[in-house]
Amino acid sequence: MTSTETPENLNSPDPAATDAPDPAASNGAPVMLALHQTDLGGPEVLRLTELPRPTPGPGEILVAVHAAGLNPTDFKHRAMRIFLPPPPLTLGWDVSGTVVETGFGVTLFRPGDEVFGMLPYPYGAGSHAEYVTGPTRAFVTKPAGIDHVQAAALPLAALTAWQALVDTADLQAGQRVLIHAAAGGVGHLAVQIAKERGAHVTGTASAPKHDFLRGLGADACIDYRAEDFTDTEERYDVVLDTLGGQTATRSVSVLRPGGVLVSLLPGAEDTLAAAEKAQVRAVTLLVEHDQAGMRAVAELVDRGRLRAHVSATFPLAEGARAHAQGETGRTTGKLVITVR
Ligand SMILES: NC(=O)c1ccc[n+]([C@@H]2O[C@H](COP(=O)([O-])OP(=O)(O)OC[C@H]3O[C@@H](n4cnc5c(N)ncnc54)[C@H](OP(=O)(O)O)[C@@H]3O)[C@@H](O)[C@H]2O)c1
């Protein structure tokens, strides 16, 4: 039981960059272009490929993708087996677009609605394409005040920051938080969310990015290339560790007893022992699709308290270039792939 409309304004892809369509693949059914890979490897494994357009199952919506954010997990899953089965793969978890079709039982959205969200992580990837399906409750209405590029930059990174600082650490007004890699995709949104909670925020970044951090509201900046963040009398209530490894272990020493270390990557082997000794709670978080979190993010955007910094956009046909730029690890804010 579905209802449909036809979206317009598709980008014309560069035919040279497009894999030849496989006539047997579509069998007359609707097709779409996707940034697809049949092997693991460098950015060159990504090919703009014609694939069957997905159809929404029960409880799902089909979204015409306008823009899709790029995250480090895209580069990592492109290159190696992590959570997903081996290729063929279409990556991409962030999406902002227009609902085209609704599956059986969907009551929250209708064709034509503008939505943004994060597809279920890790198994729901596929937004680096002209169309994607996902569960209704991975999405919320796109704030009217931002465009699809802005919206697509938010979901995975903002949900990670929200789930780390609010759901996990329960960050309170007046508390002190240290955010590692504060100029990156997660970090720059985490700074804004922490400030909105009324916290005192310290961020690490290379010196040229400190003005950017202060512009986001950071109270203090540490140049991680010139200073050791543990060389301080400061004791934080919360550390958001985007780096893992020894940064996780070393972060324990700057937390007060009872403080919380939320890591996004595995810590070193001695992290948990160090945390136990220091009476600190140390956890590793994996972001989840989350409609309540997306509503909170959208509400912050509506109130002008949260904004993604998009440092570059790339058309879908140049997705490989976006991956190459992203995996330098130097991105300020976010990179976004534009589709329509
Ligand atoms: N567990 C999860 O669910 C989850 C969710 C989201 C992200 N992650 C992971 O978290 C990490 C960060 O993600 P992201 O999207 O924020 O990455 P990103 O946007 O690629 O981060 C880039 C930023 O990292 C900074 N940086 C690099 N090395 C640094 C260091 N040693 N100290 C301080 N800053 C440093 C860079 O600043 P400079 O140019 O100044 O060096 C740059 O601005 C990634 O590994 C990602 O896979 C995990």
Side-chain angles (χ1 to χ4, degrees), residues 32-35 54 65 68 74 84 89-95 119-120 122-133:
M32 66 171 188
L33 291 170
L35 197 62
V65 181
D74 292 306
L84 296 179
L89 289 174
T90 301
L91 296 172
W93 282 269
D94 281 336
V95 54
L119 299 167
Y123 303 111
S127 68
H128 293 170
E130 289 177 330
Y131 295 88
V132 72
T133 53

PDB file of all heavy atoms in Angstrom, residues 32-35 54 65 68 74 84 89-95 119-120 122-133:
ATOM      1  N   MET A  32      18.098   4.118 -10.203  1.00  0.00           N
ATOM      2  CA  MET A  32      18.690   5.337  -9.625  1.00  0.00           C
ATOM      3  C   MET A  32      20.201   5.228  -9.725  1.00  0.00           C
ATOM      4  O   MET A  32      20.751   4.149  -9.945  1.00  0.00           O
ATOM      5  CB  MET A  32      18.303   5.470  -8.147  1.00  0.00           C
ATOM      6  CG  MET A  32      18.897   4.360  -7.291  1.00  0.00           C
ATOM      7  SD  MET A  32      18.671   4.667  -5.529  1.00  0.00           S
ATOM      8  CE  MET A  32      19.661   3.338  -4.830  1.00  0.00           C
ATOM      9  N   LEU A  33      20.877   6.365  -9.531  1.00  0.00           N
ATOM     10  CA  LEU A  33      22.335   6.346  -9.457  1.00  0.00           C
ATOM     11  C   LEU A  33      22.765   6.321  -7.991  1.00  0.00           C
ATOM     12  O   LEU A  33      22.142   6.968  -7.137  1.00  0.00           O
ATOM     13  CB  LEU A  33      22.908   7.580 -10.140  1.00  0.00           C
ATOM     14  CG  LEU A  33      22.718   7.600 -11.655  1.00  0.00           C
ATOM     15  CD1 LEU A  33      23.103   8.961 -12.225  1.00  0.00           C
ATOM     16  CD2 LEU A  33      23.536   6.485 -12.316  1.00  0.00           C
ATOM     17  N   ALA A  34      23.799   5.564  -7.742  1.00  0.00           N
ATOM     18  CA  ALA A  34      24.310   5.446  -6.370  1.00  0.00           C
ATOM     19  C   ALA A  34      25.830   5.447  -6.407  1.00  0.00           C
ATOM     20  O   ALA A  34      26.438   5.008  -7.387  1.00  0.00           O
ATOM     21  CB  ALA A  34      23.813   4.158  -5.727  1.00  0.00           C
ATOM     22  N   LEU A  35      26.433   5.949  -5.343  1.00  0.00           N
ATOM     23  CA  LEU A  35      27.886   5.860  -5.171  1.00  0.00           C
ATOM     24  C   LEU A  35      28.150   4.477  -4.585  1.00  0.00           C
ATOM     25  O   LEU A  35      27.925   4.235  -3.407  1.00  0.00           O
ATOM     26  CB  LEU A  35      28.345   6.962  -4.219  1.00  0.00           C
ATOM     27  CG  LEU A  35      29.820   7.303  -4.203  1.00  0.00           C
ATOM     28  CD1 LEU A  35      30.280   7.808  -5.557  1.00  0.00           C
ATOM     29  CD2 LEU A  35      30.078   8.360  -3.132  1.00  0.00           C
ATOM     30  N   PRO A  54      15.133   1.516  -4.546  1.00  0.00           N
ATOM     31  CA  PRO A  54      14.507   0.695  -3.498  1.00  0.00           C
ATOM     32  C   PRO A  54      13.036   1.051  -3.317  1.00  0.00           C
ATOM     33  O   PRO A  54      12.609   2.151  -3.684  1.00  0.00           O
ATOM     34  CB  PRO A  54      15.315   1.062  -2.242  1.00  0.00           C
ATOM     35  CG  PRO A  54      15.902   2.400  -2.514  1.00  0.00           C
ATOM     36  CD  PRO A  54      16.074   2.520  -3.996  1.00  0.00           C
ATOM     37  N   VAL A  65      16.866  11.760  -2.156  1.00  0.00           N
ATOM     38  CA  VAL A  65      17.962  12.390  -1.413  1.00  0.00           C
ATOM     39  C   VAL A  65      18.338  13.709  -2.088  1.00  0.00           C
ATOM     40  O   VAL A  65      18.620  13.737  -3.293  1.00  0.00           O
ATOM     41  CB  VAL A  65      19.194  11.454  -1.364  1.00  0.00           C
ATOM     42  CG1 VAL A  65      20.327  12.101  -0.569  1.00  0.00           C
ATOM     43  CG2 VAL A  65      18.823  10.088  -0.775  1.00  0.00           C
ATOM     44  N   ALA A  68      23.525  14.474   1.345  1.00  0.00           N
ATOM     45  CA  ALA A  68      23.864  13.411   2.293  1.00  0.00           C
ATOM     46  C   ALA A  68      25.211  13.745   2.920  1.00  0.00           C
ATOM     47  O   ALA A  68      26.190  13.978   2.207  1.00  0.00           O
ATOM     48  CB  ALA A  68      23.930  12.069   1.585  1.00  0.00           C
ATOM     49  N   ASP A  74      32.105   6.445   6.882  1.00  0.00           N
ATOM     50  CA  ASP A  74      31.995   6.149   5.444  1.00  0.00           C
ATOM     51  C   ASP A  74      33.367   5.783   4.877  1.00  0.00           C
ATOM     52  O   ASP A  74      33.495   4.803   4.148  1.00  0.00           O
ATOM     53  CB  ASP A  74      31.422   7.360   4.691  1.00  0.00           C
ATOM     54  CG  ASP A  74      29.967   7.625   5.037  1.00  0.00           C
ATOM     55  OD1 ASP A  74      29.153   6.704   4.910  1.00  0.00           O
ATOM     56  OD2 ASP A  74      29.650   8.752   5.445  1.00  0.00           O
ATOM     57  N   LEU A  84      29.705  -3.959   8.509  1.00  0.00           N
ATOM     58  CA  LEU A  84      28.833  -4.344   7.394  1.00  0.00           C
ATOM     59  C   LEU A  84      29.334  -5.611   6.702  1.00  0.00           C
ATOM     60  O   LEU A  84      30.518  -5.939   6.782  1.00  0.00           O
ATOM     61  CB  LEU A  84      28.765  -3.198   6.376  1.00  0.00           C
ATOM     62  CG  LEU A  84      28.133  -1.904   6.908  1.00  0.00           C
ATOM     63  CD1 LEU A  84      28.137  -0.820   5.831  1.00  0.00           C
ATOM     64  CD2 LEU A  84      26.711  -2.160   7.395  1.00  0.00           C
ATOM     65  N   LEU A  89      28.356  -2.594  -1.772  1.00  0.00           N
ATOM     66  CA  LEU A  89      27.872  -1.689  -0.734  1.00  0.00           C
ATOM     67  C   LEU A  89      27.540  -0.317  -1.324  1.00  0.00           C
ATOM     68  O   LEU A  89      28.236   0.159  -2.214  1.00  0.00           O
ATOM     69  CB  LEU A  89      28.963  -1.432   0.303  1.00  0.00           C
ATOM     70  CG  LEU A  89      29.392  -2.520   1.272  1.00  0.00           C
ATOM     71  CD1 LEU A  89      30.603  -2.030   2.080  1.00  0.00           C
ATOM     72  CD2 LEU A  89      28.247  -2.883   2.206  1.00  0.00           C
ATOM     73  N   THR A  90      26.497   0.292  -0.799  1.00  0.00           N
ATOM     74  CA  THR A  90      26.291   1.731  -0.969  1.00  0.00           C
ATOM     75  C   THR A  90      26.304   2.306   0.444  1.00  0.00           C
ATOM     76  O   THR A  90      25.499   1.890   1.280  1.00  0.00           O
ATOM     77  CB  THR A  90      24.952   2.036  -1.662  1.00  0.00           C
ATOM     78  OG1 THR A  90      24.950   1.405  -2.937  1.00  0.00           O
ATOM     79  CG2 THR A  90      24.758   3.531  -1.836  1.00  0.00           C
ATOM     80  N   LEU A  91      27.231   3.213   0.713  1.00  0.00           N
ATOM     81  CA  LEU A  91      27.387   3.752   2.063  1.00  0.00           C
ATOM     82  C   LEU A  91      26.529   5.010   2.244  1.00  0.00           C
ATOM     83  O   LEU A  91      25.769   5.386   1.360  1.00  0.00           O
ATOM     84  CB  LEU A  91      28.867   4.028   2.333  1.00  0.00           C
ATOM     85  CG  LEU A  91      29.744   2.765   2.320  1.00  0.00           C
ATOM     86  CD1 LEU A  91      31.226   3.132   2.387  1.00  0.00           C
ATOM     87  CD2 LEU A  91      29.373   1.840   3.485  1.00  0.00           C
ATOM     88  N   GLY A  92      26.714   5.670   3.370  1.00  0.00           N
ATOM     89  CA  GLY A  92      25.972   6.902   3.657  1.00  0.00           C
ATOM     90  C   GLY A  92      24.870   6.646   4.671  1.00  0.00           C
ATOM     91  O   GLY A  92      23.997   5.811   4.443  1.00  0.00           O
ATOM     92  N   TRP A  93      24.969   7.384   5.806  1.00  0.00           N
ATOM     93  CA  TRP A  93      23.931   7.257   6.840  1.00  0.00           C
ATOM     94  C   TRP A  93      23.139   8.551   6.992  1.00  0.00           C
ATOM     95  O   TRP A  93      21.994   8.522   7.414  1.00  0.00           O
ATOM     96  CB  TRP A  93      24.580   6.871   8.183  1.00  0.00           C
ATOM     97  CG  TRP A  93      24.942   5.428   8.256  1.00  0.00           C
ATOM     98  CD1 TRP A  93      24.136   4.416   8.728  1.00  0.00           C
ATOM     99  CD2 TRP A  93      26.180   4.798   7.869  1.00  0.00           C
ATOM    100  NE1 TRP A  93      24.804   3.213   8.636  1.00  0.00           N
ATOM    101  CE2 TRP A  93      26.051   3.408   8.129  1.00  0.00           C
ATOM    102  CE3 TRP A  93      27.379   5.265   7.320  1.00  0.00           C
ATOM    103  CZ2 TRP A  93      27.074   2.493   7.858  1.00  0.00           C
ATOM    104  CZ3 TRP A  93      28.395   4.352   7.054  1.00  0.00           C
ATOM    105  CH2 TRP A  93      28.239   2.985   7.330  1.00  0.00           C
ATOM    106  N   ASP A  94      23.764   9.679   6.669  1.00  0.00           N
ATOM    107  CA  ASP A  94      23.068  10.969   6.800  1.00  0.00           C
ATOM    108  C   ASP A  94      22.225  11.224   5.568  1.00  0.00           C
ATOM    109  O   ASP A  94      22.692  10.993   4.444  1.00  0.00           O
ATOM    110  CB  ASP A  94      24.091  12.108   6.887  1.00  0.00           C
ATOM    111  CG  ASP A  94      24.711  12.247   8.264  1.00  0.00           C
ATOM    112  OD1 ASP A  94      24.091  11.819   9.252  1.00  0.00           O
ATOM    113  OD2 ASP A  94      25.821  12.817   8.339  1.00  0.00           O
ATOM    114  N   VAL A  95      21.029  11.756   5.773  1.00  0.00           N
ATOM    115  CA  VAL A  95      20.200  12.089   4.621  1.00  0.00           C
ATOM    116  C   VAL A  95      19.308  13.283   4.917  1.00  0.00           C
ATOM    117  O   VAL A  95      18.805  13.434   6.027  1.00  0.00           O
ATOM    118  CB  VAL A  95      19.367  10.856   4.156  1.00  0.00           C
ATOM    119  CG1 VAL A  95      18.560  10.276   5.290  1.00  0.00           C
ATOM    120  CG2 VAL A  95      18.458  11.189   2.989  1.00  0.00           C
ATOM    121  N   LEU A 119      20.079   7.099   9.039  1.00  0.00           N
ATOM    122  CA  LEU A 119      19.636   5.723   8.826  1.00  0.00           C
ATOM    123  C   LEU A 119      20.187   4.849   9.943  1.00  0.00           C
ATOM    124  O   LEU A 119      21.218   5.182  10.546  1.00  0.00           O
ATOM    125  CB  LEU A 119      20.132   5.239   7.464  1.00  0.00           C
ATOM    126  CG  LEU A 119      19.595   6.072   6.292  1.00  0.00           C
ATOM    127  CD1 LEU A 119      20.352   5.759   5.006  1.00  0.00           C
ATOM    128  CD2 LEU A 119      18.102   5.816   6.115  1.00  0.00           C
ATOM    129  N   PRO A 120      19.512   3.722  10.243  1.00  0.00           N
ATOM    130  CA  PRO A 120      19.988   2.890  11.357  1.00  0.00           C
ATOM    131  C   PRO A 120      21.461   2.542  11.202  1.00  0.00           C
ATOM    132  O   PRO A 120      21.892   2.080  10.139  1.00  0.00           O
ATOM    133  CB  PRO A 120      19.100   1.644  11.254  1.00  0.00           C
ATOM    134  CG  PRO A 120      17.843   2.150  10.637  1.00  0.00           C
ATOM    135  CD  PRO A 120      18.281   3.208   9.648  1.00  0.00           C
ATOM    136  N   PRO A 122      24.643   0.299  12.405  1.00  0.00           N
ATOM    137  CA  PRO A 122      25.376   0.425  11.147  1.00  0.00           C
ATOM    138  C   PRO A 122      24.674  -0.169   9.919  1.00  0.00           C
ATOM    139  O   PRO A 122      25.105   0.076   8.804  1.00  0.00           O
ATOM    140  CB  PRO A 122      26.647  -0.384  11.436  1.00  0.00           C
ATOM    141  CG  PRO A 122      26.179  -1.467  12.369  1.00  0.00           C
ATOM    142  CD  PRO A 122      25.068  -0.863  13.201  1.00  0.00           C
ATOM    143  N   TYR A 123      23.571  -0.932  10.114  1.00  0.00           N
ATOM    144  CA  TYR A 123      23.119  -1.786   9.010  1.00  0.00           C
ATOM    145  C   TYR A 123      22.254  -1.077   7.968  1.00  0.00           C
ATOM    146  O   TYR A 123      21.952  -1.648   6.938  1.00  0.00           O
ATOM    147  CB  TYR A 123      22.376  -3.017   9.572  1.00  0.00           C
ATOM    148  CG  TYR A 123      23.251  -3.794  10.526  1.00  0.00           C
ATOM    149  CD1 TYR A 123      22.960  -3.831  11.889  1.00  0.00           C
ATOM    150  CD2 TYR A 123      24.389  -4.441  10.071  1.00  0.00           C
ATOM    151  CE1 TYR A 123      23.791  -4.517  12.774  1.00  0.00           C
ATOM    152  CE2 TYR A 123      25.219  -5.120  10.949  1.00  0.00           C
ATOM    153  CZ  TYR A 123      24.913  -5.155  12.291  1.00  0.00           C
ATOM    154  OH  TYR A 123      25.739  -5.825  13.159  1.00  0.00           O
ATOM    155  N   GLY A 124      21.847   0.160   8.214  1.00  0.00           N
ATOM    156  CA  GLY A 124      20.887   0.808   7.320  1.00  0.00           C
ATOM    157  C   GLY A 124      21.482   1.739   6.287  1.00  0.00           C
ATOM    158  O   GLY A 124      20.768   2.540   5.697  1.00  0.00           O
ATOM    159  N   ALA A 125      22.794   1.649   6.024  1.00  0.00           N
ATOM    160  CA  ALA A 125      23.452   2.618   5.125  1.00  0.00           C
ATOM    161  C   ALA A 125      22.853   2.596   3.727  1.00  0.00           C
ATOM    162  O   ALA A 125      22.212   1.626   3.329  1.00  0.00           O
ATOM    163  CB  ALA A 125      24.945   2.307   5.036  1.00  0.00           C
ATOM    164  N   GLY A 126      23.087   3.679   2.975  1.00  0.00           N
ATOM    165  CA  GLY A 126      22.641   3.716   1.586  1.00  0.00           C
ATOM    166  C   GLY A 126      22.253   5.092   1.087  1.00  0.00           C
ATOM    167  O   GLY A 126      21.709   5.224  -0.011  1.00  0.00           O
ATOM    168  N   SER A 127      22.557   6.150   1.848  1.00  0.00           N
ATOM    169  CA  SER A 127      22.074   7.476   1.444  1.00  0.00           C
ATOM    170  C   SER A 127      22.939   8.150   0.392  1.00  0.00           C
ATOM    171  O   SER A 127      22.560   9.216  -0.107  1.00  0.00           O
ATOM    172  CB  SER A 127      21.976   8.393   2.675  1.00  0.00           C
ATOM    173  OG  SER A 127      23.260   8.679   3.186  1.00  0.00           O
ATOM    174  N   HIS A 128      24.092   7.576   0.036  1.00  0.00           N
ATOM    175  CA  HIS A 128      24.907   8.188  -1.018  1.00  0.00           C
ATOM    176  C   HIS A 128      24.381   7.702  -2.368  1.00  0.00           C
ATOM    177  O   HIS A 128      25.049   6.983  -3.126  1.00  0.00           O
ATOM    178  CB  HIS A 128      26.393   7.872  -0.800  1.00  0.00           C
ATOM    179  CG  HIS A 128      26.930   8.543   0.437  1.00  0.00           C
ATOM    180  ND1 HIS A 128      28.161   8.283   0.967  1.00  0.00           N
ATOM    181  CD2 HIS A 128      26.375   9.505   1.237  1.00  0.00           C
ATOM    182  CE1 HIS A 128      28.342   9.036   2.053  1.00  0.00           C
ATOM    183  NE2 HIS A 128      27.268   9.782   2.225  1.00  0.00           N
ATOM    184  N   ALA A 129      23.162   8.097  -2.638  1.00  0.00           N
ATOM    185  CA  ALA A 129      22.401   7.630  -3.800  1.00  0.00           C
ATOM    186  C   ALA A 129      21.258   8.606  -4.044  1.00  0.00           C
ATOM    187  O   ALA A 129      20.998   9.487  -3.220  1.00  0.00           O
ATOM    188  CB  ALA A 129      21.843   6.232  -3.516  1.00  0.00           C
ATOM    189  N   GLU A 130      20.587   8.434  -5.172  1.00  0.00           N
ATOM    190  CA  GLU A 130      19.472   9.343  -5.478  1.00  0.00           C
ATOM    191  C   GLU A 130      18.243   9.070  -4.600  1.00  0.00           C
ATOM    192  O   GLU A 130      17.442   9.977  -4.359  1.00  0.00           O
ATOM    193  CB  GLU A 130      19.112   9.238  -6.952  1.00  0.00           C
ATOM    194  CG  GLU A 130      20.191   9.849  -7.840  1.00  0.00           C
ATOM    195  CD  GLU A 130      19.896   9.699  -9.313  1.00  0.00           C
ATOM    196  OE1 GLU A 130      19.236   8.708  -9.705  1.00  0.00           O
ATOM    197  OE2 GLU A 130      20.335  10.568 -10.092  1.00  0.00           O
ATOM    198  N   TYR A 131      18.102   7.829  -4.168  1.00  0.00           N
ATOM    199  CA  TYR A 131      16.963   7.470  -3.313  1.00  0.00           C
ATOM    200  C   TYR A 131      17.452   6.535  -2.214  1.00  0.00           C
ATOM    201  O   TYR A 131      18.392   5.757  -2.411  1.00  0.00           O
ATOM    202  CB  TYR A 131      15.875   6.724  -4.111  1.00  0.00           C
ATOM    203  CG  TYR A 131      15.215   7.557  -5.173  1.00  0.00           C
ATOM    204  CD1 TYR A 131      15.747   7.620  -6.459  1.00  0.00           C
ATOM    205  CD2 TYR A 131      14.056   8.275  -4.889  1.00  0.00           C
ATOM    206  CE1 TYR A 131      15.148   8.394  -7.441  1.00  0.00           C
ATOM    207  CE2 TYR A 131      13.450   9.053  -5.870  1.00  0.00           C
ATOM    208  CZ  TYR A 131      13.999   9.108  -7.142  1.00  0.00           C
ATOM    209  OH  TYR A 131      13.406   9.874  -8.089  1.00  0.00           O
ATOM    210  N   VAL A 132      16.760   6.581  -1.094  1.00  0.00           N
ATOM    211  CA  VAL A 132      17.075   5.626  -0.025  1.00  0.00           C
ATOM    212  C   VAL A 132      15.790   5.349   0.763  1.00  0.00           C
ATOM    213  O   VAL A 132      14.906   6.203   0.826  1.00  0.00           O
ATOM    214  CB  VAL A 132      18.194   6.180   0.895  1.00  0.00           C
ATOM    215  CG1 VAL A 132      17.702   7.319   1.789  1.00  0.00           C
ATOM    216  CG2 VAL A 132      18.826   5.070   1.732  1.00  0.00           C
ATOM    217  N   THR A 133      15.709   4.157   1.319  1.00  0.00           N
ATOM    218  CA  THR A 133      14.600   3.850   2.226  1.00  0.00           C
ATOM    219  C   THR A 133      15.132   3.744   3.647  1.00  0.00           C
ATOM    220  O   THR A 133      16.290   3.390   3.866  1.00  0.00           O
ATOM    221  CB  THR A 133      13.918   2.514   1.869  1.00  0.00           C
ATOM    222  OG1 THR A 133      14.911   1.499   1.803  1.00  0.00           O
ATOM    223  CG2 THR A 133      13.161   2.601   0.561  1.00  0.00           C
TER     224      THR A 133
END
